[in-house]
Amino acid sequence: MLIRTVLLCLLSLVAAGGDGNGNGNGKSNGNGKSNGKGHGKQPGRKPNIVLIITDDQDAGTHTREIMPRLFDRLVDNGVNYENFFTPVSLCCPSRVSLLRTQAAHNHNITNVELPHGGWVKFNNAGYVNHTMPDFLQAAGYNTYYVGKYMNDQTDKNCVDLPVSGFNASDMLVDPYTYDYWKPGFSVNNGPVEIHENTYSNDIVAQKGLAHLDSALASDRPFFVGFAPIGPHSYMNSTLRLSGSGRLYMDTPEWPERHDHMFKDAKLERTESFNPDEPMGVSWVKTLPKLNESNVEYLDEFYRGRLRSLQSVDEMVGQIFDKLEAAGALDNTYVIYTADNGFALGTHRRQPGKTLAFEEDIKVPLAIRGPGMPKGITDKVSSYGIVDLSRTFLDIAGAKPDYENDGTKINLHLGEGKLADKQYSKHRHSLTEFWVRGIEEGKFVDASYRENNTYRTLRVHDQVDGKPVTYSYHVWCTGERELYNLVSDPYQVRNILAPLNELGKFPAFDAGDVLDAQTQRVLHRLDALTLVLKTCKGQSCVEPYTTLFPSGKVNTLKDAMNRRYDEYFAALPKVHFDFCMLGYQSRLEQPEWKDELAFK
Ligand SMILES: *[C@@H]1O[C@H](CO)[C@@H](O)[C@H](O)[C@H]1NC(C)=O
Ligand SMILES: *[C@@H]1O[C@H](CO)[C@@H](O)[C@H](O)[C@H]1NC(C)=O
Ligand SMILES: *[C@@H]1O[C@H](CO)[C@@H](O)[C@H](O)[C@H]1NC(C)=O
Ligand SMILES: *[C@@H]1O[C@H](CO)[C@@H](O)[C@H](O)[C@H]1NC(C)=O
Ligand SMILES: *[C@@H]1O[C@H](CO)[C@@H](O)[C@H](O)[C@H]1NC(C)=O
Ligand SMILES: *[C@@H]1O[C@H](CO)[C@@H](O)[C@H](O)[C@H]1NC(C)=O
């Protein structure tokens, strides 16, 4: 306990001492306690950050059986966050939220390519030189990155549109990004270098470990990002280049040494797996039941995902070996996460993401670092990628030059069982989507799904002393979904399905269809969505304070008080006028206005 307290004090010193110019660590160099390389536990030295971010890894694959080294080295020695979400279930927008510490409705990079997203839109938006790594550099960090950075960074534009904020970088560029056996990298913003017949995840590991060596050789604190494409679907770069032939996202590839693994693995046949009745809303409810060959393909696809993660797991082990050998582990935060989730077969789906079910939005988050408790699971808080980005900034004492939407993740939970009881204020997360849905795999008949625009709120809180978890989705089609995840963890019973059929929206005058308590919950969830869908800065972190400026209401539990029933019922309801691509705010009126706050 004493050691922990001392560490916590050191940490606060570090946070207080960061001057934003990188001079915070100079005084401690060569103070005798140093291990010679300058990366041991030294008073006043800012901690290092090592980020491992995988591509399309759902929280369901974040297990010890699948990733033993990750669990041995990181999870068992740190905190596992059970409720961690992507802001947008698509690589590019999610990665932009990480780089910009912003909700998607504030950065407005909403797709993987023009006109609504991708690297060119990111450049046009003026975000280059204003990203989290730029701010870490300004705070004295050496910064390195290897792997997938952003979609639509291509062999054609990688020299003319350089990335900012890194001392050295090896970015995977299109059309080679998802070609496991022919990856192409832009090294330090140079022209593409193609690696024939070498496994992508292994090159990412090798290049990243070399960056880690450079980082460890310097006296400055560092950020190193490892972004392998595993377990993303495979795309053949030759076919992508030629634009001809059958082009689809197929089973991920793995190296020969993992051929023997997971031979018997199968997707879990949960309640939502290929159900007899159609489910969900919009295009999802039109999906036919999958036949046997399709289901077999999904199982094989799943095994490919697990095998492609093995090289990532090996990389995690190598990262820890290196940090340990350098004596740097005690002053380094190591973070494992993914950009968005992935679904296979649930609700009759082909492989893919882009929806708001748990499989699509829930991703791994495990953090090990100085002073953090070991082997604890935070089951209480709810955080997202934007908060992770904010946490990096706070660890480094760095500041963006614009308003950011994140809150620092609670890294220092109480020991043992305390963590389960601790009441964290941050219990909500917003996921947004404004472009077409995408399905993957060889059985996909349409390349895109129209009408895939929605706003989703996920709340994990307490009502009447009992834990509640709700997932509330408002769609551009006028439909809504509400799932009670405590009684319906697989999201097979949309509580609002009867209202969708009756066209009861947006007023929710539904006392005849919903029980009174559900109706009260619905009004509260909609109000939170109303605030969050245009939130900026602190209102994204504390939406209840926006509704109740008095500060007396901070949680769903507080908000459920009957004295607020009339207030919540009278608030305007979130809805879209119709489905359109891109974030079109005029179609999403009303917007929250401070006059709507409780008086
Ligand atoms: C977001 O970008 C789209 C283009 O992708 C544009 O049409 C829209 O007006 C932008 N939305 C906002 C709120 O700036
Ligand atoms: C980013 O900063 C560098 C260095 O100051 C500058 O050369 C470059 O033009 C900037 N890029 C953009 C897009 O502003
Ligand atoms: C990394 O880049 C920053 C900003 O340009 C610079 O101050 C620092 O010296 C560089 N570090 C190394 C090891 O080159
Ligand atoms: C990629 O497609 C090309 C052209 O059809 C083909 O020759 C090649 O074998 C494919 N590569 C893989 C690894 O399947
Ligand atoms: C199974 O379903 C897929 C996708 O709809 C279809 O392409 C395929 O022909 C079907 N196979 C059989 C054996 O019915
Ligand atoms: C999209 O939703 C609208 C209702 O907003 C509906 O009229 C239209 O048929 C839907 N389009 C598709 C392709 O499902």
Side-chain angles (χ1 to χ4, degrees):
M1 199 60 217
L2 180 65
I3 293 174
R4 220 177 82 81
T5 313
V6 171
L7 277 174
L8 284 176
C9 293
L10 288 182
L11 258 184
S12 355
L13 274 179
V14 168
D19 61 3
N21 290 313
N23 298 323
N25 64 327
K27 23 184 176 349
S28 64
N29 290 339
N31 64 0
K33 278 183 198 157
S34 159
N35 61 10
K37 278 186 169 173
H39 282 279
K41 248 184 282 172
Q42 300 161 29
R45 194 175 191 300
K46 291 186 182 186
N48 311 308
I49 300 168
V50 173
L51 167 68
I52 302 145
I53 180 164
T54 54
D55 202 337
D56 287 3
Q57 184 180 6
D58 56 304
T61 54
H62 182 52
T63 69
R64 188 180 303 276
E65 291 65 40
I66 298 170
M67 307 207 59
R69 295 170 189 83
L70 171 66
F71 273 70
D72 276 4
R73 309 294 289 273
L74 203 168
V75 179
D76 288 350
N77 292 290
V79 179
N80 204 32
Y81 294 85
E82 250 187 21
N83 296 289
F84 189 66
F85 299 94
T86 183
V88 177
S89 183
L90 192 61
C91 314
C92 175
S94 170
R95 285 165 194 255
V96 173
S97 283
L98 179 72
L99 289 170
R100 293 278 300 171
T101 327
Q102 280 181 316
H105 60 256
N106 287 331
H107 62 60
N108 200 17
I109 305 294
T110 58
N111 200 5
V112 295
E113 59 192 10
L114 285 171
H116 301 299
W119 182 232
V120 175
K121 184 168 181 190
F122 186 94
N123 275 267
N124 293 343
Y127 295 159
V128 173
N129 289 342
H130 307 273
T131 66
M132 180 263 293
D134 287 297
F135 307 129
L136 295 191
Q137 262 193 350
Y141 277 62
N142 287 336
T143 53
Y144 309 84
Y145 194 95
V146 56
K148 174 156 147 191
Y149 184 70
M150 201 175 300
N151 302 70
D152 211 25
Q153 220 188 338
T154 69
D155 56 344
K156 304 275 182 318
N157 68 26
C158 61
V159 174
D160 293 339
L161 300 177
V163 302
S164 67
F166 296 106
N167 289 80
S169 61
D170 290 87
M171 305 311 193
L172 277 167
V173 295
D174 288 335
Y176 306 98
T177 310
Y178 308 109
D179 197 329
Y180 281 91
W181 292 107
K182 198 180 174 183
F185 293 85
S186 167
V187 178
N188 299 328
N189 295 315
V192 65
E193 293 175 15
I194 296 162
H195 297 249
E196 296 275 0
N197 299 317
T198 340
Y199 188 65
S200 179
N201 292 351
D202 289 343
I203 304 179
V204 166
Q206 184 201 329
K207 283 173 171 285
L209 289 165
H211 288 317
L212 195 50
D213 278 332
S214 318
L216 287 163
S218 160
D219 279 335
R220 288 153 59 100
F222 57 78
F223 169 91
V224 184
F226 290 79
I229 50 153
H232 192 282
S233 305
Y234 164 74
M235 287 183 93
N236 183 316
S237 57
T238 311
L239 288 176
R240 279 184 91 181
L241 267 177
S242 70
S244 67
R246 181 93 176 89
L247 178 66
Y248 55 84
M249 295 190 245
D250 209 348
T251 310
E253 299 271 329
W254 61 90
E256 215 176 274
R257 66 182 188 277
H258 299 133
D259 275 350
H260 65 288
M261 298 187 76
F262 303 106
K263 284 237 188 281
D264 302 319
K266 276 186 165 190
L267 290 159
E268 207 185 325
R269 273 31 175 189
T270 62
E271 247 187 307
S272 62
F273 187 83
N274 200 19
D276 288 336
E277 298 299 322
M279 290 181 178
V281 299
S282 194
W283 60 270
V284 182
K285 69 170 191 267
T286 70
L287 295 174
K289 194 164 159 78
L290 306 166
N291 64 26
E292 213 167 297
S293 39
N294 203 153
V295 169
E296 267 168 33
Y297 174 70
L298 294 179
D299 279 331
E300 185 51 38
F301 202 110
Y302 175 63
R303 289 188 283 272
R305 284 170 58 76
L306 303 189
R307 290 178 190 134
S308 79
L309 279 169
Q310 296 315 299
S311 44
V312 177
D313 193 48
E314 291 168 354
M315 180 183 80
V316 171
Q318 290 161 349
I319 291 170
F320 274 95
D321 288 347
K322 200 172 272 300
L323 288 170
E324 218 162 70
L329 199 47
D330 288 346
N331 197 34
T332 303
Y333 286 96
V334 185
I335 298 96
Y336 187 89
T337 192
D339 53 2
N340 52 257
F342 203 76
L344 296 135
T346 48
H347 306 99
R348 301 179 164 184
R349 291 169 64 189
Q350 300 298 337
K353 54 258 183 186
T354 70
L355 286 170
F357 291 116
E358 294 284 284
E359 306 88 277
D360 301 76
I361 66 173
K362 198 174 191 183
V363 292
L365 176 67
I367 308 181
R368 170 182 173 158
M372 288 183 69
K374 296 196 186 311
I376 280 190
T377 297
D378 181 349
K379 299 180 175 175
V380 174
S381 325
S382 240
Y383 295 112
I385 300 262
V386 179
D387 304 315
L388 182 59
S389 175
R390 168 63 187 259
T391 305
F392 295 162
L393 295 171
D394 283 10
I395 286 172
K399 279 221 164 17
D401 52 5
Y402 51 88
E403 190 172 23
N404 76 83
D405 304 329
T407 187
K408 188 183 179 191
I409 292 172
N410 184 0
L411 299 172
H412 302 288
L413 296 161
E415 300 285 351
K417 287 179 225 131
L418 274 179
D420 295 340
K421 292 193 184 142
Q422 182 168 339
Y423 199 85
S424 157
K425 263 200 210 172
H426 207 271
R427 289 169 157 258
H428 64 271
S429 118
L430 178 75
T431 293
E432 313 178 285
F433 214 90
W434 294 274
V435 293
R436 296 180 178 101
I438 305 166
E439 292 182 289
E440 306 176 16
K442 70 175 180 187
F443 287 119
V444 169
D445 52 2
S447 21
Y448 294 110
R449 294 289 187 173
E450 303 296 333
N451 290 357
N452 202 66
T453 292
Y454 57 80
R455 304 280 197 133
T456 287
L457 171 71
R458 196 184 179 287
V459 171
H460 178 65
D461 209 309
Q462 286 184 6
V463 172
D464 299 334
K466 287 195 216 85
V468 294
T469 309
Y470 292 111
S471 179
Y472 175 54
H473 318 197
V474 182
W475 283 76
C476 66
T477 55
E479 294 160 297
R480 279 158 216 252
E481 290 171 277
L482 174 62
Y483 298 100
N484 176 344
L485 297 181
V486 174
S487 58
D488 180 20
Y490 298 108
Q491 299 172 296
V492 297
R493 284 176 285 279
N494 175 14
I495 297 170
L496 304 183
L499 276 74
N500 286 335
E501 276 151 34
L502 293 169
K504 284 269 188 187
F505 297 117
F508 308 158
D509 179 14
D512 51 337
V513 185
L514 294 184
D515 67 76
Q517 179 73 352
T518 306
Q519 178 133 8
R520 293 177 67 233
V521 168
L522 179 58
H523 282 306
R524 269 95 179 152
L525 297 180
D526 198 74
L528 268 182
T529 311
L530 178 63
V531 171
L532 289 171
K533 79 184 176 74
T534 50
C535 71
K536 241 186 151 183
Q538 204 51 25
S539 63
C540 299
V541 178
E542 297 188 321
Y544 294 99
T545 312
T546 302
L547 290 159
F548 295 90
S550 70
K552 283 190 189 139
V553 174
N554 288 301
T555 62
L556 183 60
K557 177 169 77 174
D558 300 343
M560 282 303 288
N561 192 317
R562 287 191 185 276
R563 57 188 290 231
Y564 306 129
D565 278 0
E566 264 177 53
Y567 168 65
F568 280 113
L571 281 176
K573 305 303 168 194
V574 175
H575 69 279
F576 295 80
D577 287 346
F578 51 90
C579 294
M580 224 178 121
L581 296 178
Y583 171 33
Q584 309 301 341
S585 49
R586 74 197 148 76
L587 300 181
E588 299 186 41
Q589 299 297 327
E591 274 180 19
W592 173 263
K593 289 186 189 60
D594 286 337
E595 299 94 273
L596 294 171
F598 182 82
K599 282 175 211 90

